[in-house]
Amino acid sequence: MFLRRKHSHDHHQVDDSEQHEAKVSEIRTGLGPLSGRSLKYCSDACLRRYLEARNWNVDKAKKLLEETLKWRLTYKPEEIRWHEVAHEGETGKVSRANFHDREGRTVLIMRPGKQNTKSAEGNIRHLVYLLENAMLNLAEGQEQTSWLIDFTGFSLSTSVPVKTARDIIYILQNHYPERLAIAFLYNPPRIFEAFWKAVRYFLDPKTAQKVKFVYPKNKESVELMGSFFDVENLPSEFGGKGTLKYDHEEFSRLMEQDDIKTAKFWGIDEKPYPIGKGISGGAEVAPEPAPLASPAS
């Protein structure tokens, strides 16, 4: 009896896999001929993510993907270069960590208390740049990133406006679907609750399930974060034993080196921007990245 049950389970898995692959083929056919960067973007892994984001509904996934392709053609996220957004990163409000989670995923660290500008578009371009960079540095076979959000110094007066947060959420959910594995909001203050109530309305249920609040005195939430991160790597700002030290000049050099890799990946012929030019300086930066995976594909 048990053998038959296991065989039945395996058979369902095979059926699901075959159905999924058929839907990948169907959405590719429905998109029609693609060329250039759009063709490179639409890898099979990319199509699976869009299908997953729409519960494998081909029509809905195709519509979402077509909207992304239009957005990428006009916004050109792969053409943003660090020297264009470096001023937004001077305080280290968003950076790529020098460690990975337990699954080997790229980690983005966000510190809203370090907000340093009022420009909505500047904040969005800076984040989009770092999202593209995070995808560039995913290890082979990895599809998602993990986020750590530190609320030290957070205040409503320095946080991005709700409208900007809404625009960011729209971009994340619609143009980077299934790119977020988990987001830990560490010890947010009570004043954040009002901001959260305003923005969570814009989160779809799938994304909302990935947002976890962690409080040092709440054992269950701390253990959940520990299941994703090694306490030895985790900075003390997140209850770990590591050190979070952001050096803007060093991080800038790393980003400028990655800009060269980005241009090469997308086949963009450009002269490299002089490394270190126009950088004003204060987590340790990430090591040399793993072999390239498809950035946003």
Side-chain angles (χ1 to χ4, degrees), residues 15-295:
D15 283 350
D16 285 346
S17 178
E18 288 178 351
Q19 287 178 11
H20 287 174
E21 290 310 304
K23 290 189 175 187
V24 169
S25 297
E26 186 179 345
I27 194 172
R28 187 173 293 287
T29 301
L31 287 170
L34 297 171
S35 62
R37 298 178 203 174
S38 292
L39 177 60
K40 193 169 187 67
Y41 181 80
C42 291
S43 66
D44 283 356
C46 170
L47 302 189
R48 289 189 198 101
R49 281 196 308 276
Y50 279 80
L51 283 161
E52 180 70 35
R54 290 297 179 264
N55 296 312
W56 294 87
N57 181 302
V58 172
D59 290 338
K60 290 181 179 179
K62 176 174 170 285
K63 181 181 177 184
L64 183 66
L65 180 51
E66 286 174 338
E67 289 171 356
T68 293
L69 293 176
K70 289 177 184 176
W71 175 77
R72 293 188 71 89
L73 282 171
T74 55
Y75 200 84
K76 295 180 170 44
E78 74 281 3
E79 292 187 13
I80 303 173
R81 295 295 173 259
W82 177 247
H83 69 267
E84 300 170 30
V85 297
H87 63 285
E88 290 284 348
E90 287 180 358
T91 58
K93 63 187 176 187
V94 187
S95 61
R96 197 178 86 228
N98 68 330
F99 58 90
H100 298 83
D101 68 9
R102 290 187 185 275
E103 297 296 321
R105 290 180 285 238
T106 301
V107 178
L108 285 179
I109 294 178
M110 302 181 181
R111 298 190 281 179
K114 299 280 188 182
Q115 182 57 248
N116 61 328
T117 71
K118 298 288 187 181
S119 169
E121 180 56 26
N123 275 285
I124 292 171
R125 281 182 70 79
H126 177 240
L127 181 58
V128 166
Y129 171 88
L130 285 167
L131 285 171
E132 292 282 317
N133 179 266
M135 308 316 160
L136 179 78
N137 285 284
L138 285 173
E140 196 65 41
Q142 290 288 1
E143 294 283 319
Q144 297 180 314
T145 60
S146 293
W147 295 5
L148 291 170
I149 305 172
D150 167 34
F151 283 88
T152 302
F154 175 84
S155 70
L156 291 178
S157 62
T158 58
S159 68
V160 297
V162 170
K163 183 183 183 303
T164 304
R166 183 190 65 189
D167 292 344
I168 288 171
I169 289 169
Y170 179 87
I171 289 172
L172 292 174
Q173 291 184 156
N174 290 279
H175 303 320
Y176 296 90
E178 295 301 312
R179 282 305 201 179
L180 177 65
I182 195 85
F184 285 109
L185 281 61
Y186 192 81
N187 205 25
R190 284 197 170 185
I191 56 171
F192 178 71
E193 290 179 12
F195 184 83
W196 174 245
K197 285 178 181 177
V199 301
R200 71 178 176 184
Y201 171 79
F202 304 109
L203 292 175
D204 65 43
K206 269 194 171 185
T207 304
Q209 287 177 2
K210 298 175 181 179
V211 178
K212 307 296 182 184
F213 287 75
V214 180
Y215 297 95
K217 294 181 181 179
N218 183 306
K219 184 181 178 183
E220 187 178 342
S221 67
V222 171
E223 287 177 349
L224 177 63
M225 191 161 76
S227 70
F228 280 82
F229 291 94
D230 185 337
V231 70
E232 297 294 330
N233 291 333
L234 209 56
S236 58
E237 287 83 353
F238 299 97
K241 298 179 180 179
T243 302
L244 180 59
K245 175 178 167 288
Y246 179 77
D247 183 319
H248 186 59
E249 290 191 14
E250 193 172 348
F251 190 75
S252 293
R253 283 193 289 272
L254 182 68
M255 293 300 99
E256 288 164 344
Q257 290 166 7
D258 278 358
D259 282 350
I260 298 170
K261 296 174 186 175
T262 297
K264 184 177 179 182
F265 179 88
W266 291 105
I268 301 170
D269 184 20
E270 61 182 38
K271 294 179 180 178
Y273 192 78
I275 289 181
K277 183 177 180 181
I279 304 296
S280 59
E284 295 175 352
V285 298
E288 186 68 16
L292 295 185
S294 293

